[in-house]
Amino acid sequence: ASNGKTIEILNTDAEGRLTLADALTYGVKLEPTAMIDLATLTGACMVGLGEEITAVMGNNEDFTAQIMESADDAGEKMWRMPLEKRYRPLIESEVADLRNTATSRYGGSITAGLFLEEFVENVPWAHLDIAGPAFAERPLSSYLGKGGSGHGVRTLVELMERI
């Protein structure tokens, strides 16, 4: 990775997190007060949350709470997921600093979030896994038809208006 961490590639379908890792590393160099990334990171979040709810993970309780409040006010469905530290060993590698996928098939969204957290240093950060609601397979409301949804944008606008 661009921050010097080595990553063992065990699943080439988990390539997006490698790009995000470098993007987050670059973002940290800009010395932001906080960072948010939105990505269709895991199918695992869709297994737990379905097609209409975004998984939210963050390293700062206050910042993540602001995002959740903004999502609620913006009318976008999001659910807070833990970055459970006890799952961190699942992304440890014997040949590199990290693995790009966990040793267990369970908790895939959480371990993907823990992977990304490795690249944000101490910057308040949140990841929004929009894999479910990014693309609507069917009309979801009177204003959201089939296709790309832009899910998360209204939450970001609401959050920026608050700051």
Side-chain angles (χ1 to χ4, degrees):
S2 64
N3 67 351
K5 290 187 181 192
T6 56
I7 303 167
E8 180 182 8
I9 306 301
L10 294 164
N11 183 339
T12 56
D13 194 37
E15 81 291 352
R17 64 192 71 187
L18 303 172
T19 303
L20 277 171
D22 280 346
L24 293 169
T25 297
Y26 178 77
V28 167
K29 291 178 184 176
L30 300 176
E31 301 180 4
T33 57
M35 294 192 304
I36 303 172
D37 74 82
L38 288 77
T40 56
L41 189 65
T42 68
C45 74
M46 291 178 66
V47 172
L49 300 177
E51 301 173 311
E52 298 182 38
I53 303 171
T54 288
V56 180
M57 292 167 263
N59 67 352
N60 180 285
E61 186 65 38
D62 292 337
F63 183 54
T64 306
Q66 287 180 336
I67 293 167
M68 296 302 295
E69 290 170 13
S70 296
D72 191 49
D73 289 348
E76 293 187 311
K77 297 175 185 176
M78 298 191 185
W79 189 262
R80 177 82 187 266
M81 300 287 285
L83 283 175
E84 177 56 55
K85 302 305 180 207
R86 291 178 51 190
Y87 290 7
R88 174 59 177 77
L90 298 174
I91 58 169
E92 291 177 1
S93 169
E94 293 181 16
V95 298
D97 294 317
L98 301 164
R99 306 165 49 104
N100 79 323
T101 56
T103 57
S104 171
R105 63 180 233 178
Y106 302 109
S109 292
I110 296 168
T111 56
L114 288 166
F115 177 88
L116 294 179
E117 185 181 30
E118 291 288 320
F119 299 91
V120 299
E121 297 183 11
N122 294 320
V123 175
W125 157 82
H127 165 70
L128 281 59
D129 193 334
I130 60 170
F135 188 88
E137 296 290 339
R138 57 185 161 56
L140 297 176
S141 68
S142 62
Y143 60 89
L144 183 60
K146 190 174 179 180
S149 69
H151 187 84
V153 173
R154 293 188 336 229
T155 295
L156 295 179
V157 169
E158 180 69 29
L159 180 64
M160 293 303 109
E161 288 177 348
R162 293 169 182 242
I163 296 178

